[in-house]
Amino acid sequence: MLPLEGIVVLEFAQYMAAPTAGLRMADLGARVIKIERPGSGEAGRQIQVKNLFVDGDSLIFHTINRNKESFTADLKNPTHLEKVRELIRRADVITHNFRPGVMEKIGLDAPSVHAINPRLIYGEVTGFGNAGPWKNRPGQDLLLQSLSGLTWLTGNRDDPPTPFGLAVVDMLCGIHFAQGLMAALIQRARTGAGCSVSVSLLESALDFQFEVLTTYYGDGGRLPQRSRKYNAHAYLSAPYGVYPTRDGYLALAMNDVAALGRALGSQQIAAYRKASAWFSRRDEIQTLIAEHLAGRTTADWLAILEPLDIWCSDVFDYATLTSHDAFHSLQMEQTVHRPGGATVHTLRCPIRIDGQRLFSDRAAPSVGQENDAIEAELRKARNPPAVSGNLPVPAAADAKPLEGILVVDLSQFLSGPCASLRLADLGARVIKVERPETGDICRELYVSDIRIDGESTTFHAINRNKESFVADLKTEAGLRKLQALLRRADVMMHNFRPGVTDRLGLGYDAIRALKPDIIYGSISGYGAEGPWRKKPGQDLLVQALSGLTWLSGAAGDGPVPMGLSVVDQLAGMHLAQGLLACLYRRAMTGNGALVEVSMLESALDFQFEAITTFRHDGGAPIERSRCNAAHAALGAPYGIYQTADGYLALAMGRIPQLGELLGCPSLLTYTNPATWFTERDEIKQILAAHLSSRSTRHWLDLLEPADIWCAEVLNWQQLAGQEAFTVLGMTQTVERRSGTRYRTTRCPISFNGRKLYAARGSPDLGEHTAVLSEEFGA
């Protein structure tokens, strides 16, 4: 039984963010019915991505909407609207991403829907929330990247703002949305009551930056400085970056610079013995590393460095990756079949449940494909709702969705702690199990020049609202202490390399014997099988091996890493999704579960849009724009352009209309939409030259009244001065036992209009060991 089997989701959403959440819920077993307008269906069917269409619909529509059904209804027609209301009476979840006020106009706002079905989970995605001066702005990915400060993290110091070369905010928001919907289903299983769940693209974009924003606030508001060259993370020290070799590229993650120098045979590099210099002098260190690495091939360096456990990797494009045994061993690809015989080659869900990969063979539906079947169902009697008593009912009526759930977290670094942070935000009690003396390596992992109470700002950002319990898992006494916690736990999770937990006697079978209904979660770097299973699962290395570095930046730039720990966060988010889904299933059935995620599978899932395009384009390499690049598969005008006093982001738009509005006659001749991709470089060069002549505000005043999707490009300081940021209440101040207070972000998900704050900061090492030992008899 898939975790969400029996759940019915009505999806009014279009484009990407909310449909991405619907796709994940469908992968996990839910029945997802898209409610579309008759005739044309949802607007996402016509998104032009590299001019690739299948059966008349955008290839990207097919990737996001596989495994769903389509029901058409004209929501302005009373007869159709009554059919939709009958579907609502039988549904568990409704989702939409209309602008504020649209659902109210047609009588399908949350209060109206809850009057029809009080047990319904009502979910909405907005661009910027339901209040404030930006609430009616278009919620589009590139615009959100530009407004949230995200574009100043990728690329090198002298580069213009550089977007992540994927619809990153859409996909992250979809992940957050799915997390919120599943948490609400768990709460409903315990209380019987429905609720409202809301997420905005801006909140998701800010949550994605929680690690670096916490550092920014701890540094008194000093903006991040990208390294001069080879940048991969604005707050990480040398050698972190991607470097050219004689025949390709080599990615180097966090390493001791002096030890790296010795391994490379460079006395100059080995001379940097003090860790404090690895950040303050990273530009000169990175230059020395680049000069040295250029002398030999990538294979030569890997043969030297990998046996010494230096964290490094080759840098693959899609052609190299998809021909490698490590890719094949994951079985990440699947083929879905259209009714007319067409096929779509795409990716599967990155989460494994009880050891099973989650495949689905049903393609995206044609417009209204299931109308007859669904209307026949509506004529039948409605089944009574399921009732469960397998989870404790929260004590307070306003309790958070996971209140009363106990999570024992053995993970460290970023990926696993990202998952447990989200569970803690949603109300779970998270006990962080750490080794004596040193604790989680993340306490000392990052060596930027900003610390809080002597420890990494990243540790404090990712481990707030948790308790710390010290146990030496290599001793019998330590194992007994942990077992005492696990006997009462609902969730156990770890991110050890494959085989480690089995050697410690902490594998799934052993823990299930101790606690039969445990939800057991694990994150690995590359899965438990295949030739890469023992490689270090580190963010930059997975970016490099998964093809991700060839999506950002412009043609000719070489590989450009995304300037955040994107894969760590994605793996953590996916694990949280799987854990939430299985907590719901346990609430309904009493059964435990094994949830497995790998960083490589998460990185590939993140690129499902680009990899599907690659497969359907005959394996043609991904080609970034020569200028103003923002997405390798999208045509002009998609990109960021310099103006006389700043930068302007332009998303999808009709080129001749832009020419008229901007007073640029050279654009009027591009009347064929197909040329907006095939001739995008020429169009972008015309736009860039024209837009550089006037201020950003001048262009916004021309474009925004015409509903052209555009935005100014802000850094964090500029964003903080906007009322639209203040009204979100997206930051919070938390306090540690020492009395030290620091500012960080909150959970981006809201329930019944309530934002989820938690004032407790990160724990000292072993801060709660004594009290927990007494509580659990450890």
Side-chain angles (χ1 to χ4, degrees), residues 303-320:
I304 292 169
L305 299 176
E306 286 187 325
L308 300 174
D309 203 27
I310 301 290
W311 286 12
C312 58
S313 75
D314 206 331
V315 180
F316 283 1
D317 58 18
Y318 287 157
T320 308

mmCIF file with all atom_site columns, all heavy atoms in Angstrom, residues 303-320:
data_model
loop_
_atom_site.group_PDB
_atom_site.id
_atom_site.type_symbol
_atom_site.label_atom_id
_atom_site.label_alt_id
_atom_site.label_comp_id
_atom_site.label_asym_id
_atom_site.label_entity_id
_atom_site.label_seq_id
_atom_site.pdbx_PDB_ins_code
_atom_site.Cartn_x
_atom_site.Cartn_y
_atom_site.Cartn_z
_atom_site.occupancy
_atom_site.B_iso_or_equiv
_atom_site.pdbx_formal_charge
_atom_site.auth_seq_id
_atom_site.auth_comp_id
_atom_site.auth_asym_id
_atom_site.auth_atom_id
_atom_site.pdbx_PDB_model_num
ATOM 1   N N   . ALA A 1 303 ? 42.702 9.847  -9.335  1.00 0.00 ? 303 ALA A N   1
ATOM 2   C CA  . ALA A 1 303 ? 43.481 8.676  -8.908  1.00 0.00 ? 303 ALA A CA  1
ATOM 3   C C   . ALA A 1 303 ? 44.387 8.994  -7.728  1.00 0.00 ? 303 ALA A C   1
ATOM 4   O O   . ALA A 1 303 ? 44.680 8.126  -6.892  1.00 0.00 ? 303 ALA A O   1
ATOM 5   C CB  . ALA A 1 303 ? 44.313 8.158  -10.084 1.00 0.00 ? 303 ALA A CB  1
ATOM 6   N N   . ILE A 1 304 ? 44.811 10.237 -7.624  1.00 0.00 ? 304 ILE A N   1
ATOM 7   C CA  . ILE A 1 304 ? 45.657 10.661 -6.499  1.00 0.00 ? 304 ILE A CA  1
ATOM 8   C C   . ILE A 1 304 ? 44.818 10.974 -5.270  1.00 0.00 ? 304 ILE A C   1
ATOM 9   O O   . ILE A 1 304 ? 45.145 10.567 -4.141  1.00 0.00 ? 304 ILE A O   1
ATOM 10  C CB  . ILE A 1 304 ? 46.488 11.900 -6.905  1.00 0.00 ? 304 ILE A CB  1
ATOM 11  C CG1 . ILE A 1 304 ? 47.521 11.517 -7.983  1.00 0.00 ? 304 ILE A CG1 1
ATOM 12  C CG2 . ILE A 1 304 ? 47.172 12.526 -5.695  1.00 0.00 ? 304 ILE A CG2 1
ATOM 13  C CD1 . ILE A 1 304 ? 48.188 12.718 -8.625  1.00 0.00 ? 304 ILE A CD1 1
ATOM 14  N N   . LEU A 1 305 ? 43.713 11.702 -5.456  1.00 0.00 ? 305 LEU A N   1
ATOM 15  C CA  . LEU A 1 305 ? 42.972 12.276 -4.332  1.00 0.00 ? 305 LEU A CA  1
ATOM 16  C C   . LEU A 1 305 ? 41.956 11.324 -3.701  1.00 0.00 ? 305 LEU A C   1
ATOM 17  O O   . LEU A 1 305 ? 41.800 11.304 -2.474  1.00 0.00 ? 305 LEU A O   1
ATOM 18  C CB  . LEU A 1 305 ? 42.256 13.558 -4.789  1.00 0.00 ? 305 LEU A CB  1
ATOM 19  C CG  . LEU A 1 305 ? 43.162 14.687 -5.306  1.00 0.00 ? 305 LEU A CG  1
ATOM 20  C CD1 . LEU A 1 305 ? 42.315 15.843 -5.819  1.00 0.00 ? 305 LEU A CD1 1
ATOM 21  C CD2 . LEU A 1 305 ? 44.113 15.166 -4.220  1.00 0.00 ? 305 LEU A CD2 1
ATOM 22  N N   . GLU A 1 306 ? 41.234 10.558 -4.507  1.00 0.00 ? 306 GLU A N   1
ATOM 23  C CA  . GLU A 1 306 ? 40.173 9.711  -3.947  1.00 0.00 ? 306 GLU A CA  1
ATOM 24  C C   . GLU A 1 306 ? 40.689 8.678  -2.948  1.00 0.00 ? 306 GLU A C   1
ATOM 25  O O   . GLU A 1 306 ? 40.052 8.477  -1.895  1.00 0.00 ? 306 GLU A O   1
ATOM 26  C CB  . GLU A 1 306 ? 39.386 9.044  -5.071  1.00 0.00 ? 306 GLU A CB  1
ATOM 27  C CG  . GLU A 1 306 ? 38.455 10.003 -5.791  1.00 0.00 ? 306 GLU A CG  1
ATOM 28  C CD  . GLU A 1 306 ? 37.533 9.322  -6.791  1.00 0.00 ? 306 GLU A CD  1
ATOM 29  O OE1 . GLU A 1 306 ? 37.978 8.336  -7.422  1.00 0.00 ? 306 GLU A OE1 1
ATOM 30  O OE2 . GLU A 1 306 ? 36.381 9.777  -6.949  1.00 0.00 ? 306 GLU A OE2 1
ATOM 31  N N   . PRO A 1 307 ? 41.818 8.010  -3.184  1.00 0.00 ? 307 PRO A N   1
ATOM 32  C CA  . PRO A 1 307 ? 42.314 7.059  -2.170  1.00 0.00 ? 307 PRO A CA  1
ATOM 33  C C   . PRO A 1 307 ? 42.657 7.705  -0.837  1.00 0.00 ? 307 PRO A C   1
ATOM 34  O O   . PRO A 1 307 ? 42.698 7.024  0.195   1.00 0.00 ? 307 PRO A O   1
ATOM 35  C CB  . PRO A 1 307 ? 43.557 6.449  -2.837  1.00 0.00 ? 307 PRO A CB  1
ATOM 36  C CG  . PRO A 1 307 ? 43.334 6.624  -4.302  1.00 0.00 ? 307 PRO A CG  1
ATOM 37  C CD  . PRO A 1 307 ? 42.615 7.934  -4.426  1.00 0.00 ? 307 PRO A CD  1
ATOM 38  N N   . LEU A 1 308 ? 42.895 9.013  -0.849  1.00 0.00 ? 308 LEU A N   1
ATOM 39  C CA  . LEU A 1 308 ? 43.215 9.738  0.383   1.00 0.00 ? 308 LEU A CA  1
ATOM 40  C C   . LEU A 1 308 ? 41.961 10.307 1.049   1.00 0.00 ? 308 LEU A C   1
ATOM 41  O O   . LEU A 1 308 ? 42.061 11.043 2.029   1.00 0.00 ? 308 LEU A O   1
ATOM 42  C CB  . LEU A 1 308 ? 44.193 10.884 0.071   1.00 0.00 ? 308 LEU A CB  1
ATOM 43  C CG  . LEU A 1 308 ? 45.541 10.456 -0.534  1.00 0.00 ? 308 LEU A CG  1
ATOM 44  C CD1 . LEU A 1 308 ? 46.350 11.674 -0.937  1.00 0.00 ? 308 LEU A CD1 1
ATOM 45  C CD2 . LEU A 1 308 ? 46.321 9.602  0.476   1.00 0.00 ? 308 LEU A CD2 1
ATOM 46  N N   . ASP A 1 309 ? 40.796 9.962  0.513   1.00 0.00 ? 309 ASP A N   1
ATOM 47  C CA  . ASP A 1 309 ? 39.503 10.453 1.008   1.00 0.00 ? 309 ASP A CA  1
ATOM 48  C C   . ASP A 1 309 ? 39.397 11.969 0.922   1.00 0.00 ? 309 ASP A C   1
ATOM 49  O O   . ASP A 1 309 ? 38.738 12.609 1.738   1.00 0.00 ? 309 ASP A O   1
ATOM 50  C CB  . ASP A 1 309 ? 39.229 9.973  2.441   1.00 0.00 ? 309 ASP A CB  1
ATOM 51  C CG  . ASP A 1 309 ? 37.731 9.963  2.764   1.00 0.00 ? 309 ASP A CG  1
ATOM 52  O OD1 . ASP A 1 309 ? 36.926 9.821  1.821   1.00 0.00 ? 309 ASP A OD1 1
ATOM 53  O OD2 . ASP A 1 309 ? 37.368 10.115 3.948   1.00 0.00 ? 309 ASP A OD2 1
ATOM 54  N N   . ILE A 1 310 ? 40.083 12.547 -0.056  1.00 0.00 ? 310 ILE A N   1
ATOM 55  C CA  . ILE A 1 310 ? 39.879 13.960 -0.386  1.00 0.00 ? 310 ILE A CA  1
ATOM 56  C C   . ILE A 1 310 ? 38.565 14.057 -1.149  1.00 0.00 ? 310 ILE A C   1
ATOM 57  O O   . ILE A 1 310 ? 38.350 13.360 -2.139  1.00 0.00 ? 310 ILE A O   1
ATOM 58  C CB  . ILE A 1 310 ? 41.035 14.499 -1.258  1.00 0.00 ? 310 ILE A CB  1
ATOM 59  C CG1 . ILE A 1 310 ? 42.385 14.359 -0.540  1.00 0.00 ? 310 ILE A CG1 1
ATOM 60  C CG2 . ILE A 1 310 ? 40.766 15.941 -1.656  1.00 0.00 ? 310 ILE A CG2 1
ATOM 61  C CD1 . ILE A 1 310 ? 42.583 15.268 0.624   1.00 0.00 ? 310 ILE A CD1 1
ATOM 62  N N   . TRP A 1 311 ? 37.669 14.926 -0.711  1.00 0.00 ? 311 TRP A N   1
ATOM 63  C CA  . TRP A 1 311 ? 36.340 15.016 -1.300  1.00 0.00 ? 311 TRP A CA  1
ATOM 64  C C   . TRP A 1 311 ? 36.427 15.736 -2.646  1.00 0.00 ? 311 TRP A C   1
ATOM 65  O O   . TRP A 1 311 ? 36.589 16.969 -2.699  1.00 0.00 ? 311 TRP A O   1
ATOM 66  C CB  . TRP A 1 311 ? 35.388 15.739 -0.361  1.00 0.00 ? 311 TRP A CB  1
ATOM 67  C CG  . TRP A 1 311 ? 34.980 14.897 0.813   1.00 0.00 ? 311 TRP A CG  1
ATOM 68  C CD1 . TRP A 1 311 ? 35.539 13.720 1.214   1.00 0.00 ? 311 TRP A CD1 1
ATOM 69  C CD2 . TRP A 1 311 ? 33.923 15.157 1.727   1.00 0.00 ? 311 TRP A CD2 1
ATOM 70  N NE1 . TRP A 1 311 ? 34.898 13.232 2.315   1.00 0.00 ? 311 TRP A NE1 1
ATOM 71  C CE2 . TRP A 1 311 ? 33.898 14.095 2.658   1.00 0.00 ? 311 TRP A CE2 1
ATOM 72  C CE3 . TRP A 1 311 ? 32.987 16.179 1.855   1.00 0.00 ? 311 TRP A CE3 1
ATOM 73  C CZ2 . TRP A 1 311 ? 32.975 14.033 3.703   1.00 0.00 ? 311 TRP A CZ2 1
ATOM 74  C CZ3 . TRP A 1 311 ? 32.066 16.126 2.900   1.00 0.00 ? 311 TRP A CZ3 1
ATOM 75  C CH2 . TRP A 1 311 ? 32.066 15.060 3.806   1.00 0.00 ? 311 TRP A CH2 1
ATOM 76  N N   . CYS A 1 312 ? 36.295 14.970 -3.714  1.00 0.00 ? 312 CYS A N   1
ATOM 77  C CA  . CYS A 1 312 ? 36.447 15.511 -5.053  1.00 0.00 ? 312 CYS A CA  1
ATOM 78  C C   . CYS A 1 312 ? 35.618 14.679 -6.020  1.00 0.00 ? 312 CYS A C   1
ATOM 79  O O   . CYS A 1 312 ? 35.172 13.574 -5.692  1.00 0.00 ? 312 CYS A O   1
ATOM 80  C CB  . CYS A 1 312 ? 37.919 15.493 -5.480  1.00 0.00 ? 312 CYS A CB  1
ATOM 81  S SG  . CYS A 1 312 ? 38.660 13.843 -5.463  1.00 0.00 ? 312 CYS A SG  1
ATOM 82  N N   . SER A 1 313 ? 35.423 15.197 -7.224  1.00 0.00 ? 313 SER A N   1
ATOM 83  C CA  . SER A 1 313 ? 34.694 14.436 -8.234  1.00 0.00 ? 313 SER A CA  1
ATOM 84  C C   . SER A 1 313 ? 34.951 15.016 -9.612  1.00 0.00 ? 313 SER A C   1
ATOM 85  O O   . SER A 1 313 ? 35.379 16.170 -9.758  1.00 0.00 ? 313 SER A O   1
ATOM 86  C CB  . SER A 1 313 ? 33.186 14.446 -7.955  1.00 0.00 ? 313 SER A CB  1
ATOM 87  O OG  . SER A 1 313 ? 32.619 15.698 -8.301  1.00 0.00 ? 313 SER A OG  1
ATOM 88  N N   . ASP A 1 314 ? 34.662 14.205 -10.625 1.00 0.00 ? 314 ASP A N   1
ATOM 89  C CA  . ASP A 1 314 ? 34.601 14.663 -12.002 1.00 0.00 ? 314 ASP A CA  1
ATOM 90  C C   . ASP A 1 314 ? 33.378 15.569 -12.147 1.00 0.00 ? 314 ASP A C   1
ATOM 91  O O   . ASP A 1 314 ? 32.550 15.675 -11.222 1.00 0.00 ? 314 ASP A O   1
ATOM 92  C CB  . ASP A 1 314 ? 34.490 13.446 -12.924 1.00 0.00 ? 314 ASP A CB  1
ATOM 93  C CG  . ASP A 1 314 ? 35.038 13.696 -14.315 1.00 0.00 ? 314 ASP A CG  1
ATOM 94  O OD1 . ASP A 1 314 ? 34.986 14.858 -14.756 1.00 0.00 ? 314 ASP A OD1 1
ATOM 95  O OD2 . ASP A 1 314 ? 35.494 12.735 -14.946 1.00 0.00 ? 314 ASP A OD2 1
ATOM 96  N N   . VAL A 1 315 ? 33.252 16.230 -13.282 1.00 0.00 ? 315 VAL A N   1
ATOM 97  C CA  . VAL A 1 315 ? 32.095 17.074 -13.580 1.00 0.00 ? 315 VAL A CA  1
ATOM 98  C C   . VAL A 1 315 ? 31.462 16.530 -14.853 1.00 0.00 ? 315 VAL A C   1
ATOM 99  O O   . VAL A 1 315 ? 32.072 16.574 -15.915 1.00 0.00 ? 315 VAL A O   1
ATOM 100 C CB  . VAL A 1 315 ? 32.502 18.549 -13.753 1.00 0.00 ? 315 VAL A CB  1
ATOM 101 C CG1 . VAL A 1 315 ? 31.275 19.413 -14.054 1.00 0.00 ? 315 VAL A CG1 1
ATOM 102 C CG2 . VAL A 1 315 ? 33.216 19.055 -12.501 1.00 0.00 ? 315 VAL A CG2 1
ATOM 103 N N   . PHE A 1 316 ? 30.243 16.002 -14.726 1.00 0.00 ? 316 PHE A N   1
ATOM 104 C CA  . PHE A 1 316 ? 29.580 15.324 -15.832 1.00 0.00 ? 316 PHE A CA  1
ATOM 105 C C   . PHE A 1 316 ? 28.528 16.216 -16.489 1.00 0.00 ? 316 PHE A C   1
ATOM 106 O O   . PHE A 1 316 ? 27.873 17.023 -15.824 1.00 0.00 ? 316 PHE A O   1
ATOM 107 C CB  . PHE A 1 316 ? 28.867 14.058 -15.332 1.00 0.00 ? 316 PHE A CB  1
ATOM 108 C CG  . PHE A 1 316 ? 29.774 12.886 -15.066 1.00 0.00 ? 316 PHE A CG  1
ATOM 109 C CD1 . PHE A 1 316 ? 31.146 12.972 -15.252 1.00 0.00 ? 316 PHE A CD1 1
ATOM 110 C CD2 . PHE A 1 316 ? 29.246 11.685 -14.616 1.00 0.00 ? 316 PHE A CD2 1
ATOM 111 C CE1 . PHE A 1 316 ? 31.980 11.892 -15.010 1.00 0.00 ? 316 PHE A CE1 1
ATOM 112 C CE2 . PHE A 1 316 ? 30.054 10.589 -14.372 1.00 0.00 ? 316 PHE A CE2 1
ATOM 113 C CZ  . PHE A 1 316 ? 31.424 10.692 -14.571 1.00 0.00 ? 316 PHE A CZ  1
ATOM 114 N N   . ASP A 1 317 ? 28.363 16.024 -17.786 1.00 0.00 ? 317 ASP A N   1
ATOM 115 C CA  . ASP A 1 317 ? 27.177 16.539 -18.458 1.00 0.00 ? 317 ASP A CA  1
ATOM 116 C C   . ASP A 1 317 ? 26.174 15.390 -18.572 1.00 0.00 ? 317 ASP A C   1
ATOM 117 O O   . ASP A 1 317 ? 26.444 14.263 -18.145 1.00 0.00 ? 317 ASP A O   1
ATOM 118 C CB  . ASP A 1 317 ? 27.522 17.134 -19.823 1.00 0.00 ? 317 ASP A CB  1
ATOM 119 C CG  . ASP A 1 317 ? 28.203 16.123 -20.753 1.00 0.00 ? 317 ASP A CG  1
ATOM 120 O OD1 . ASP A 1 317 ? 28.107 14.899 -20.503 1.00 0.00 ? 317 ASP A OD1 1
ATOM 121 O OD2 . ASP A 1 317 ? 28.837 16.557 -21.726 1.00 0.00 ? 317 ASP A OD2 1
ATOM 122 N N   . TYR A 1 318 ? 25.007 15.658 -19.168 1.00 0.00 ? 318 TYR A N   1
ATOM 123 C CA  . TYR A 1 318 ? 23.965 14.628 -19.199 1.00 0.00 ? 318 TYR A CA  1
ATOM 124 C C   . TYR A 1 318 ? 24.382 13.408 -20.022 1.00 0.00 ? 318 TYR A C   1
ATOM 125 O O   . TYR A 1 318 ? 24.051 12.277 -19.679 1.00 0.00 ? 318 TYR A O   1
ATOM 126 C CB  . TYR A 1 318 ? 22.666 15.204 -19.766 1.00 0.00 ? 318 TYR A CB  1
ATOM 127 C CG  . TYR A 1 318 ? 21.926 16.137 -18.842 1.00 0.00 ? 318 TYR A CG  1
ATOM 128 C CD1 . TYR A 1 318 ? 21.043 17.078 -19.345 1.00 0.00 ? 318 TYR A CD1 1
ATOM 129 C CD2 . TYR A 1 318 ? 22.095 16.073 -17.464 1.00 0.00 ? 318 TYR A CD2 1
ATOM 130 C CE1 . TYR A 1 318 ? 20.338 17.938 -18.515 1.00 0.00 ? 318 TYR A CE1 1
ATOM 131 C CE2 . TYR A 1 318 ? 21.411 16.927 -16.625 1.00 0.00 ? 318 TYR A CE2 1
ATOM 132 C CZ  . TYR A 1 318 ? 20.532 17.869 -17.148 1.00 0.00 ? 318 TYR A CZ  1
ATOM 133 O OH  . TYR A 1 318 ? 19.845 18.711 -16.325 1.00 0.00 ? 318 TYR A OH  1
ATOM 134 N N   . ALA A 1 319 ? 25.090 13.629 -21.111 1.00 0.00 ? 319 ALA A N   1
ATOM 135 C CA  . ALA A 1 319 ? 25.484 12.500 -21.952 1.00 0.00 ? 319 ALA A CA  1
ATOM 136 C C   . ALA A 1 319 ? 26.395 11.548 -21.181 1.00 0.00 ? 319 ALA A C   1
ATOM 137 O O   . ALA A 1 319 ? 26.224 10.324 -21.232 1.00 0.00 ? 319 ALA A O   1
ATOM 138 C CB  . ALA A 1 319 ? 26.182 12.999 -23.213 1.00 0.00 ? 319 ALA A CB  1
ATOM 139 N N   . THR A 1 320 ? 27.352 12.105 -20.450 1.00 0.00 ? 320 THR A N   1
ATOM 140 C CA  . THR A 1 320 ? 28.262 11.268 -19.662 1.00 0.00 ? 320 THR A CA  1
ATOM 141 C C   . THR A 1 320 ? 27.521 10.595 -18.514 1.00 0.00 ? 320 THR A C   1
ATOM 142 O O   . THR A 1 320 ? 27.686 9.400  -18.257 1.00 0.00 ? 320 THR A O   1
ATOM 143 C CB  . THR A 1 320 ? 29.418 12.123 -19.110 1.00 0.00 ? 320 THR A CB  1
ATOM 144 O OG1 . THR A 1 320 ? 30.022 12.853 -20.185 1.00 0.00 ? 320 THR A OG1 1
ATOM 145 C CG2 . THR A 1 320 ? 30.474 11.245 -18.448 1.00 0.00 ? 320 THR A CG2 1
#
